[in-house]
Amino acid sequence: MFKNLIFIALLFTALFGYAQENPIKKNVLNEQSVVRGEDGLVYPFNAWKKLMQTGKYGIKSRKTVTESGQPEYLIYELSAEQKSAYMDKIPKPRASDSFREGDLFNGLKITDMNGNKYDLRDSTGKIFVLNFWFINCPPCKREIPQLNELVAKYKDNKDVVFLAIALDEKYDLKSFLKSTAFDYNIVDGGRYIANKYGVKGYPTHVVVDKKGYIAFSTLGLASNTIYWVEKSINESLK
């Protein structure tokens, strides 16, 4: 719980540095904060925390107080321009030690759960978007809806290939996917691949550009992780 509160405090310190009509300097958002939606309803802590973790929402002073004098805040959906400005302003996600940006990617041949084969040794002309994960990894599961949205954006672009390298075996993955859709091409039994690259933290994301160089990598899940994955894809497509 303490770690969660520290995370929220740090997240909103960055957020309030982005854009507010009246910057809030003394108040720190926590489980007792009164956060309302644009419909006026009070959002429970876990609800607005989850929304904020998507990177699609902002919080600002509502300029109102409760009957007891407690300040109220407004959670609102960011426009595309606001989202980009906010994401660019907060620190870039932590890079993975296993994949250094600018290095030539050391690829290999892999096969996904459906028998599709990929030769990552020859990535010329293709952009490979890799996600190292496993079923019992909470942040890995939390980011899946956003990753599915990302896949949908490039569904008509054959030059972008999404590969989710799972540590789990096919049987367990099939059971998991019955209740949780994951639109990446999933590689089962991928522990040996993670070991090959020295991946020790999850999720780990890697974007390999058309020339076979690492354009972006990150360890863990930050509020702007998916934004940077998408940004790196777009830059690699230019």
PDB file of all heavy atoms in Angstrom, residues 61-94:
ATOM      1  N   SER A  61      -7.562  20.873 -10.367  1.00  0.00           N
ATOM      2  CA  SER A  61      -8.439  21.391  -9.327  1.00  0.00           C
ATOM      3  C   SER A  61      -9.819  21.659  -9.899  1.00  0.00           C
ATOM      4  O   SER A  61      -9.964  22.202 -11.002  1.00  0.00           O
ATOM      5  CB  SER A  61      -7.865  22.678  -8.739  1.00  0.00           C
ATOM      6  OG  SER A  61      -8.803  23.287  -7.870  1.00  0.00           O
ATOM      7  N   ARG A  62     -10.828  21.281  -9.159  1.00  0.00           N
ATOM      8  CA  ARG A  62     -12.212  21.538  -9.573  1.00  0.00           C
ATOM      9  C   ARG A  62     -12.682  22.916  -9.086  1.00  0.00           C
ATOM     10  O   ARG A  62     -13.754  23.374  -9.429  1.00  0.00           O
ATOM     11  CB  ARG A  62     -13.114  20.437  -8.999  1.00  0.00           C
ATOM     12  CG  ARG A  62     -14.499  20.320  -9.632  1.00  0.00           C
ATOM     13  CD  ARG A  62     -15.143  19.020  -9.200  1.00  0.00           C
ATOM     14  NE  ARG A  62     -16.455  18.873  -9.788  1.00  0.00           N
ATOM     15  CZ  ARG A  62     -17.609  19.208  -9.175  1.00  0.00           C
ATOM     16  NH1 ARG A  62     -17.568  19.708  -7.938  1.00  0.00           N
ATOM     17  NH2 ARG A  62     -18.764  19.042  -9.784  1.00  0.00           N
ATOM     18  N   LYS A  63     -11.846  23.532  -8.249  1.00  0.00           N
ATOM     19  CA  LYS A  63     -12.149  24.839  -7.667  1.00  0.00           C
ATOM     20  C   LYS A  63     -13.387  24.801  -6.777  1.00  0.00           C
ATOM     21  O   LYS A  63     -14.131  25.777  -6.652  1.00  0.00           O
ATOM     22  CB  LYS A  63     -12.314  25.911  -8.749  1.00  0.00           C
ATOM     23  CG  LYS A  63     -11.064  26.109  -9.598  1.00  0.00           C
ATOM     24  CD  LYS A  63     -11.265  27.195 -10.642  1.00  0.00           C
ATOM     25  CE  LYS A  63     -10.028  27.371 -11.492  1.00  0.00           C
ATOM     26  NZ  LYS A  63     -10.193  28.418 -12.530  1.00  0.00           N
ATOM     27  N   THR A  64     -13.627  23.620  -6.187  1.00  0.00           N
ATOM     28  CA  THR A  64     -14.734  23.454  -5.244  1.00  0.00           C
ATOM     29  C   THR A  64     -14.202  22.695  -4.030  1.00  0.00           C
ATOM     30  O   THR A  64     -13.131  22.076  -4.085  1.00  0.00           O
ATOM     31  CB  THR A  64     -15.903  22.667  -5.859  1.00  0.00           C
ATOM     32  OG1 THR A  64     -15.426  21.383  -6.307  1.00  0.00           O
ATOM     33  CG2 THR A  64     -16.512  23.425  -7.030  1.00  0.00           C
ATOM     34  N   VAL A  65     -14.968  22.738  -2.947  1.00  0.00           N
ATOM     35  CA  VAL A  65     -14.595  21.998  -1.744  1.00  0.00           C
ATOM     36  C   VAL A  65     -15.811  21.243  -1.228  1.00  0.00           C
ATOM     37  O   VAL A  65     -16.950  21.580  -1.551  1.00  0.00           O
ATOM     38  CB  VAL A  65     -14.056  22.939  -0.637  1.00  0.00           C
ATOM     39  CG1 VAL A  65     -12.779  23.613  -1.079  1.00  0.00           C
ATOM     40  CG2 VAL A  65     -15.116  23.977  -0.242  1.00  0.00           C
ATOM     41  N   THR A  66     -15.557  20.231  -0.419  1.00  0.00           N
ATOM     42  CA  THR A  66     -16.637  19.482   0.200  1.00  0.00           C
ATOM     43  C   THR A  66     -17.201  20.301   1.366  1.00  0.00           C
ATOM     44  O   THR A  66     -16.674  21.367   1.709  1.00  0.00           O
ATOM     45  CB  THR A  66     -16.131  18.129   0.728  1.00  0.00           C
ATOM     46  OG1 THR A  66     -15.160  18.380   1.758  1.00  0.00           O
ATOM     47  CG2 THR A  66     -15.498  17.322  -0.376  1.00  0.00           C
ATOM     48  N   GLU A  67     -18.246  19.802   1.992  1.00  0.00           N
ATOM     49  CA  GLU A  67     -18.848  20.496   3.133  1.00  0.00           C
ATOM     50  C   GLU A  67     -17.859  20.655   4.279  1.00  0.00           C
ATOM     51  O   GLU A  67     -17.955  21.601   5.068  1.00  0.00           O
ATOM     52  CB  GLU A  67     -20.093  19.729   3.613  1.00  0.00           C
ATOM     53  CG  GLU A  67     -21.248  19.771   2.623  1.00  0.00           C
ATOM     54  CD  GLU A  67     -22.469  19.060   3.167  1.00  0.00           C
ATOM     55  OE1 GLU A  67     -22.382  18.500   4.294  1.00  0.00           O
ATOM     56  OE2 GLU A  67     -23.509  19.055   2.478  1.00  0.00           O
ATOM     57  N   SER A  68     -16.886  19.726   4.335  1.00  0.00           N
ATOM     58  CA  SER A  68     -15.885  19.799   5.406  1.00  0.00           C
ATOM     59  C   SER A  68     -14.678  20.642   4.996  1.00  0.00           C
ATOM     60  O   SER A  68     -13.720  20.769   5.755  1.00  0.00           O
ATOM     61  CB  SER A  68     -15.432  18.388   5.792  1.00  0.00           C
ATOM     62  OG  SER A  68     -14.813  17.751   4.683  1.00  0.00           O
ATOM     63  N   GLY A  69     -14.731  21.221   3.798  1.00  0.00           N
ATOM     64  CA  GLY A  69     -13.649  22.088   3.344  1.00  0.00           C
ATOM     65  C   GLY A  69     -12.533  21.379   2.600  1.00  0.00           C
ATOM     66  O   GLY A  69     -11.506  21.974   2.277  1.00  0.00           O
ATOM     67  N   GLN A  70     -12.712  20.090   2.304  1.00  0.00           N
ATOM     68  CA  GLN A  70     -11.688  19.339   1.587  1.00  0.00           C
ATOM     69  C   GLN A  70     -11.717  19.700   0.098  1.00  0.00           C
ATOM     70  O   GLN A  70     -12.783  19.719  -0.525  1.00  0.00           O
ATOM     71  CB  GLN A  70     -11.934  17.832   1.754  1.00  0.00           C
ATOM     72  CG  GLN A  70     -10.824  16.955   1.197  1.00  0.00           C
ATOM     73  CD  GLN A  70     -11.084  15.482   1.483  1.00  0.00           C
ATOM     74  OE1 GLN A  70     -12.099  15.112   2.075  1.00  0.00           O
ATOM     75  NE2 GLN A  70     -10.155  14.622   1.061  1.00  0.00           N
ATOM     76  N   PRO A  71     -10.564  20.008  -0.511  1.00  0.00           N
ATOM     77  CA  PRO A  71     -10.541  20.378  -1.928  1.00  0.00           C
ATOM     78  C   PRO A  71     -10.985  19.226  -2.823  1.00  0.00           C
ATOM     79  O   PRO A  71     -10.720  18.056  -2.525  1.00  0.00           O
ATOM     80  CB  PRO A  71      -9.082  20.756  -2.182  1.00  0.00           C
ATOM     81  CG  PRO A  71      -8.316  20.047  -1.123  1.00  0.00           C
ATOM     82  CD  PRO A  71      -9.204  20.039   0.079  1.00  0.00           C
ATOM     83  N   GLU A  72     -11.660  19.569  -3.920  1.00  0.00           N
ATOM     84  CA  GLU A  72     -12.126  18.564  -4.869  1.00  0.00           C
ATOM     85  C   GLU A  72     -11.354  18.703  -6.185  1.00  0.00           C
ATOM     86  O   GLU A  72     -10.957  19.800  -6.567  1.00  0.00           O
ATOM     87  CB  GLU A  72     -13.628  18.724  -5.120  1.00  0.00           C
ATOM     88  CG  GLU A  72     -14.470  18.508  -3.882  1.00  0.00           C
ATOM     89  CD  GLU A  72     -15.956  18.621  -4.162  1.00  0.00           C
ATOM     90  OE1 GLU A  72     -16.329  19.404  -5.061  1.00  0.00           O
ATOM     91  OE2 GLU A  72     -16.734  17.914  -3.504  1.00  0.00           O
ATOM     92  N   TYR A  73     -11.180  17.563  -6.853  1.00  0.00           N
ATOM     93  CA  TYR A  73     -10.441  17.529  -8.106  1.00  0.00           C
ATOM     94  C   TYR A  73     -11.319  16.971  -9.220  1.00  0.00           C
ATOM     95  O   TYR A  73     -12.288  16.244  -8.970  1.00  0.00           O
ATOM     96  CB  TYR A  73      -9.181  16.672  -7.959  1.00  0.00           C
ATOM     97  CG  TYR A  73      -8.279  17.147  -6.852  1.00  0.00           C
ATOM     98  CD1 TYR A  73      -8.363  16.592  -5.570  1.00  0.00           C
ATOM     99  CD2 TYR A  73      -7.359  18.164  -7.066  1.00  0.00           C
ATOM    100  CE1 TYR A  73      -7.548  17.031  -4.536  1.00  0.00           C
ATOM    101  CE2 TYR A  73      -6.536  18.618  -6.041  1.00  0.00           C
ATOM    102  CZ  TYR A  73      -6.636  18.044  -4.780  1.00  0.00           C
ATOM    103  OH  TYR A  73      -5.836  18.484  -3.758  1.00  0.00           O
ATOM    104  N   LEU A  74     -10.942  17.293 -10.442  1.00  0.00           N
ATOM    105  CA  LEU A  74     -11.675  16.837 -11.619  1.00  0.00           C
ATOM    106  C   LEU A  74     -10.777  15.944 -12.461  1.00  0.00           C
ATOM    107  O   LEU A  74      -9.662  16.327 -12.814  1.00  0.00           O
ATOM    108  CB  LEU A  74     -12.124  18.036 -12.467  1.00  0.00           C
ATOM    109  CG  LEU A  74     -12.772  17.691 -13.819  1.00  0.00           C
ATOM    110  CD1 LEU A  74     -14.142  17.058 -13.597  1.00  0.00           C
ATOM    111  CD2 LEU A  74     -12.883  18.939 -14.692  1.00  0.00           C
ATOM    112  N   ILE A  75     -11.255  14.738 -12.776  1.00  0.00           N
ATOM    113  CA  ILE A  75     -10.541  13.865 -13.710  1.00  0.00           C
ATOM    114  C   ILE A  75     -11.211  14.017 -15.068  1.00  0.00           C
ATOM    115  O   ILE A  75     -12.434  13.986 -15.182  1.00  0.00           O
ATOM    116  CB  ILE A  75     -10.536  12.390 -13.240  1.00  0.00           C
ATOM    117  CG1 ILE A  75      -9.661  11.552 -14.177  1.00  0.00           C
ATOM    118  CG2 ILE A  75     -11.931  11.820 -13.100  1.00  0.00           C
ATOM    119  CD1 ILE A  75      -9.337  10.167 -13.638  1.00  0.00           C
ATOM    120  N   TYR A  76     -10.397  14.216 -16.095  1.00  0.00           N
ATOM    121  CA  TYR A  76     -10.952  14.484 -17.425  1.00  0.00           C
ATOM    122  C   TYR A  76     -10.095  13.809 -18.480  1.00  0.00           C
ATOM    123  O   TYR A  76      -8.907  13.569 -18.294  1.00  0.00           O
ATOM    124  CB  TYR A  76     -11.003  15.995 -17.679  1.00  0.00           C
ATOM    125  CG  TYR A  76      -9.644  16.662 -17.660  1.00  0.00           C
ATOM    126  CD1 TYR A  76      -8.958  16.951 -18.839  1.00  0.00           C
ATOM    127  CD2 TYR A  76      -9.031  16.989 -16.446  1.00  0.00           C
ATOM    128  CE1 TYR A  76      -7.702  17.551 -18.805  1.00  0.00           C
ATOM    129  CE2 TYR A  76      -7.772  17.573 -16.407  1.00  0.00           C
ATOM    130  CZ  TYR A  76      -7.116  17.849 -17.592  1.00  0.00           C
ATOM    131  OH  TYR A  76      -5.865  18.426 -17.562  1.00  0.00           O
ATOM    132  N   GLU A  77     -10.722  13.503 -19.617  1.00  0.00           N
ATOM    133  CA  GLU A  77     -10.004  12.841 -20.704  1.00  0.00           C
ATOM    134  C   GLU A  77      -9.170  13.862 -21.462  1.00  0.00           C
ATOM    135  O   GLU A  77      -9.647  14.934 -21.824  1.00  0.00           O
ATOM    136  CB  GLU A  77     -10.974  12.146 -21.645  1.00  0.00           C
ATOM    137  CG  GLU A  77     -10.301  11.268 -22.670  1.00  0.00           C
ATOM    138  CD  GLU A  77     -11.262  10.366 -23.416  1.00  0.00           C
ATOM    139  OE1 GLU A  77     -12.481  10.472 -23.175  1.00  0.00           O
ATOM    140  OE2 GLU A  77     -10.795   9.550 -24.237  1.00  0.00           O
ATOM    141  N   LEU A  78      -7.917  13.519 -21.697  1.00  0.00           N
ATOM    142  CA  LEU A  78      -7.012  14.403 -22.414  1.00  0.00           C
ATOM    143  C   LEU A  78      -7.286  14.370 -23.913  1.00  0.00           C
ATOM    144  O   LEU A  78      -7.610  13.321 -24.471  1.00  0.00           O
ATOM    145  CB  LEU A  78      -5.558  13.984 -22.176  1.00  0.00           C
ATOM    146  CG  LEU A  78      -5.036  14.038 -20.738  1.00  0.00           C
ATOM    147  CD1 LEU A  78      -3.657  13.386 -20.677  1.00  0.00           C
ATOM    148  CD2 LEU A  78      -4.973  15.455 -20.234  1.00  0.00           C
ATOM    149  N   SER A  79      -7.142  15.508 -24.566  1.00  0.00           N
ATOM    150  CA  SER A  79      -7.208  15.543 -26.023  1.00  0.00           C
ATOM    151  C   SER A  79      -5.920  14.928 -26.556  1.00  0.00           C
ATOM    152  O   SER A  79      -4.946  14.723 -25.806  1.00  0.00           O
ATOM    153  CB  SER A  79      -7.338  16.978 -26.519  1.00  0.00           C
ATOM    154  OG  SER A  79      -6.161  17.721 -26.236  1.00  0.00           O
ATOM    155  N   ALA A  80      -5.869  14.639 -27.852  1.00  0.00           N
ATOM    156  CA  ALA A  80      -4.662  14.056 -28.443  1.00  0.00           C
ATOM    157  C   ALA A  80      -3.458  14.974 -28.233  1.00  0.00           C
ATOM    158  O   ALA A  80      -2.355  14.518 -27.921  1.00  0.00           O
ATOM    159  CB  ALA A  80      -4.885  13.801 -29.931  1.00  0.00           C
ATOM    160  N   GLU A  81      -3.685  16.286 -28.371  1.00  0.00           N
ATOM    161  CA  GLU A  81      -2.601  17.250 -28.204  1.00  0.00           C
ATOM    162  C   GLU A  81      -2.130  17.298 -26.748  1.00  0.00           C
ATOM    163  O   GLU A  81      -0.934  17.341 -26.469  1.00  0.00           O
ATOM    164  CB  GLU A  81      -3.048  18.644 -28.657  1.00  0.00           C
ATOM    165  CG  GLU A  81      -3.323  18.774 -30.145  1.00  0.00           C
ATOM    166  CD  GLU A  81      -4.640  18.142 -30.574  1.00  0.00           C
ATOM    167  OE1 GLU A  81      -5.484  17.849 -29.686  1.00  0.00           O
ATOM    168  OE2 GLU A  81      -4.821  17.930 -31.787  1.00  0.00           O
ATOM    169  N   GLN A  82      -3.085  17.294 -25.824  1.00  0.00           N
ATOM    170  CA  GLN A  82      -2.733  17.327 -24.405  1.00  0.00           C
ATOM    171  C   GLN A  82      -1.974  16.059 -23.998  1.00  0.00           C
ATOM    172  O   GLN A  82      -1.008  16.110 -23.243  1.00  0.00           O
ATOM    173  CB  GLN A  82      -3.999  17.456 -23.554  1.00  0.00           C
ATOM    174  CG  GLN A  82      -4.657  18.823 -23.606  1.00  0.00           C
ATOM    175  CD  GLN A  82      -5.968  18.841 -22.847  1.00  0.00           C
ATOM    176  OE1 GLN A  82      -6.756  17.888 -22.906  1.00  0.00           O
ATOM    177  NE2 GLN A  82      -6.223  19.924 -22.127  1.00  0.00           N
ATOM    178  N   LYS A  83      -2.440  14.932 -24.524  1.00  0.00           N
ATOM    179  CA  LYS A  83      -1.806  13.660 -24.196  1.00  0.00           C
ATOM    180  C   LYS A  83      -0.357  13.641 -24.671  1.00  0.00           C
ATOM    181  O   LYS A  83       0.552  13.259 -23.930  1.00  0.00           O
ATOM    182  CB  LYS A  83      -2.578  12.506 -24.833  1.00  0.00           C
ATOM    183  CG  LYS A  83      -1.988  11.143 -24.538  1.00  0.00           C
ATOM    184  CD  LYS A  83      -2.801  10.042 -25.190  1.00  0.00           C
ATOM    185  CE  LYS A  83      -2.153   8.675 -24.968  1.00  0.00           C
ATOM    186  NZ  LYS A  83      -2.909   7.593 -25.631  1.00  0.00           N
ATOM    187  N   SER A  84      -0.126  14.070 -25.902  1.00  0.00           N
ATOM    188  CA  SER A  84       1.234  14.079 -26.446  1.00  0.00           C
ATOM    189  C   SER A  84       2.136  15.018 -25.652  1.00  0.00           C
ATOM    190  O   SER A  84       3.286  14.683 -25.341  1.00  0.00           O
ATOM    191  CB  SER A  84       1.214  14.503 -27.922  1.00  0.00           C
ATOM    192  OG  SER A  84       0.566  13.526 -28.707  1.00  0.00           O
ATOM    193  N   ALA A  85       1.597  16.210 -25.321  1.00  0.00           N
ATOM    194  CA  ALA A  85       2.379  17.183 -24.567  1.00  0.00           C
ATOM    195  C   ALA A  85       2.729  16.638 -23.182  1.00  0.00           C
ATOM    196  O   ALA A  85       3.858  16.786 -22.703  1.00  0.00           O
ATOM    197  CB  ALA A  85       1.607  18.492 -24.445  1.00  0.00           C
ATOM    198  N   TYR A  86       1.767  15.998 -22.547  1.00  0.00           N
ATOM    199  CA  TYR A  86       1.985  15.440 -21.211  1.00  0.00           C
ATOM    200  C   TYR A  86       2.991  14.289 -21.254  1.00  0.00           C
ATOM    201  O   TYR A  86       3.935  14.221 -20.465  1.00  0.00           O
ATOM    202  CB  TYR A  86       0.650  14.963 -20.639  1.00  0.00           C
ATOM    203  CG  TYR A  86       0.783  14.065 -19.434  1.00  0.00           C
ATOM    204  CD1 TYR A  86       1.507  14.470 -18.319  1.00  0.00           C
ATOM    205  CD2 TYR A  86       0.165  12.814 -19.401  1.00  0.00           C
ATOM    206  CE1 TYR A  86       1.635  13.647 -17.210  1.00  0.00           C
ATOM    207  CE2 TYR A  86       0.290  11.984 -18.301  1.00  0.00           C
ATOM    208  CZ  TYR A  86       1.019  12.407 -17.214  1.00  0.00           C
ATOM    209  OH  TYR A  86       1.142  11.590 -16.119  1.00  0.00           O
ATOM    210  N   MET A  87       2.817  13.383 -22.232  1.00  0.00           N
ATOM    211  CA  MET A  87       3.690  12.225 -22.329  1.00  0.00           C
ATOM    212  C   MET A  87       5.128  12.616 -22.643  1.00  0.00           C
ATOM    213  O   MET A  87       6.079  11.996 -22.176  1.00  0.00           O
ATOM    214  CB  MET A  87       3.165  11.266 -23.398  1.00  0.00           C
ATOM    215  CG  MET A  87       1.854  10.591 -23.042  1.00  0.00           C
ATOM    216  SD  MET A  87       2.030   9.544 -21.574  1.00  0.00           S
ATOM    217  CE  MET A  87       0.370   8.903 -21.439  1.00  0.00           C
ATOM    218  N   ASP A  88       5.295  13.659 -23.457  1.00  0.00           N
ATOM    219  CA  ASP A  88       6.639  14.108 -23.797  1.00  0.00           C
ATOM    220  C   ASP A  88       7.308  14.820 -22.629  1.00  0.00           C
ATOM    221  O   ASP A  88       8.542  14.877 -22.550  1.00  0.00           O
ATOM    222  CB  ASP A  88       6.601  15.051 -25.006  1.00  0.00           C
ATOM    223  CG  ASP A  88       6.433  14.294 -26.315  1.00  0.00           C
ATOM    224  OD1 ASP A  88       6.871  13.134 -26.386  1.00  0.00           O
ATOM    225  OD2 ASP A  88       5.862  14.857 -27.259  1.00  0.00           O
ATOM    226  N   LYS A  89       6.484  15.374 -21.735  1.00  0.00           N
ATOM    227  CA  LYS A  89       7.027  16.161 -20.631  1.00  0.00           C
ATOM    228  C   LYS A  89       7.527  15.284 -19.488  1.00  0.00           C
ATOM    229  O   LYS A  89       8.543  15.598 -18.865  1.00  0.00           O
ATOM    230  CB  LYS A  89       5.965  17.131 -20.108  1.00  0.00           C
ATOM    231  CG  LYS A  89       6.517  18.173 -19.138  1.00  0.00           C
ATOM    232  CD  LYS A  89       5.443  19.188 -18.770  1.00  0.00           C
ATOM    233  CE  LYS A  89       6.000  20.278 -17.861  1.00  0.00           C
ATOM    234  NZ  LYS A  89       7.022  21.109 -18.521  1.00  0.00           N
ATOM    235  N   ILE A  90       6.825  14.185 -19.209  1.00  0.00           N
ATOM    236  CA  ILE A  90       7.245  13.333 -18.099  1.00  0.00           C
ATOM    237  C   ILE A  90       8.445  12.487 -18.540  1.00  0.00           C
ATOM    238  O   ILE A  90       8.681  12.301 -19.735  1.00  0.00           O
ATOM    239  CB  ILE A  90       6.093  12.436 -17.591  1.00  0.00           C
ATOM    240  CG1 ILE A  90       5.612  11.473 -18.685  1.00  0.00           C
ATOM    241  CG2 ILE A  90       4.944  13.280 -17.097  1.00  0.00           C
ATOM    242  CD1 ILE A  90       4.505  10.552 -18.211  1.00  0.00           C
ATOM    243  N   PRO A  91       9.229  11.986 -17.596  1.00  0.00           N
ATOM    244  CA  PRO A  91      10.454  11.249 -17.945  1.00  0.00           C
ATOM    245  C   PRO A  91      10.189  10.061 -18.860  1.00  0.00           C
ATOM    246  O   PRO A  91       9.169   9.381 -18.739  1.00  0.00           O
ATOM    247  CB  PRO A  91      10.974  10.793 -16.578  1.00  0.00           C
ATOM    248  CG  PRO A  91      10.412  11.780 -15.604  1.00  0.00           C
ATOM    249  CD  PRO A  91       9.057  12.135 -16.138  1.00  0.00           C
ATOM    250  N   LYS A  92      11.119   9.831 -19.768  1.00  0.00           N
ATOM    251  CA  LYS A  92      11.041   8.680 -20.662  1.00  0.00           C
ATOM    252  C   LYS A  92      11.115   7.410 -19.827  1.00  0.00           C
ATOM    253  O   LYS A  92      11.854   7.355 -18.832  1.00  0.00           O
ATOM    254  CB  LYS A  92      12.195   8.731 -21.663  1.00  0.00           C
ATOM    255  CG  LYS A  92      12.136   7.684 -22.764  1.00  0.00           C
ATOM    256  CD  LYS A  92      13.278   7.901 -23.747  1.00  0.00           C
ATOM    257  CE  LYS A  92      13.249   6.893 -24.876  1.00  0.00           C
ATOM    258  NZ  LYS A  92      14.354   7.101 -25.839  1.00  0.00           N
ATOM    259  N   PRO A  93      10.352   6.372 -20.184  1.00  0.00           N
ATOM    260  CA  PRO A  93      10.394   5.127 -19.400  1.00  0.00           C
ATOM    261  C   PRO A  93      11.813   4.567 -19.286  1.00  0.00           C
ATOM    262  O   PRO A  93      12.639   4.745 -20.182  1.00  0.00           O
ATOM    263  CB  PRO A  93       9.493   4.176 -20.200  1.00  0.00           C
ATOM    264  CG  PRO A  93       8.574   5.073 -20.951  1.00  0.00           C
ATOM    265  CD  PRO A  93       9.381   6.281 -21.296  1.00  0.00           C
ATOM    266  N   ARG A  94      12.042   3.892 -18.197  1.00  0.00           N
ATOM    267  CA  ARG A  94      13.352   3.296 -17.930  1.00  0.00           C
ATOM    268  C   ARG A  94      13.738   2.308 -19.029  1.00  0.00           C
ATOM    269  O   ARG A  94      12.958   1.419 -19.383  1.00  0.00           O
ATOM    270  CB  ARG A  94      13.317   2.572 -16.583  1.00  0.00           C
ATOM    271  CG  ARG A  94      14.561   1.769 -16.262  1.00  0.00           C
ATOM    272  CD  ARG A  94      14.338   0.957 -14.985  1.00  0.00           C
ATOM    273  NE  ARG A  94      15.451   0.059 -14.737  1.00  0.00           N
ATOM    274  CZ  ARG A  94      15.460  -0.838 -13.758  1.00  0.00           C
ATOM    275  NH1 ARG A  94      14.415  -0.935 -12.938  1.00  0.00           N
ATOM    276  NH2 ARG A  94      16.494  -1.638 -13.589  1.00  0.00           N
TER     277      ARG A  94
END
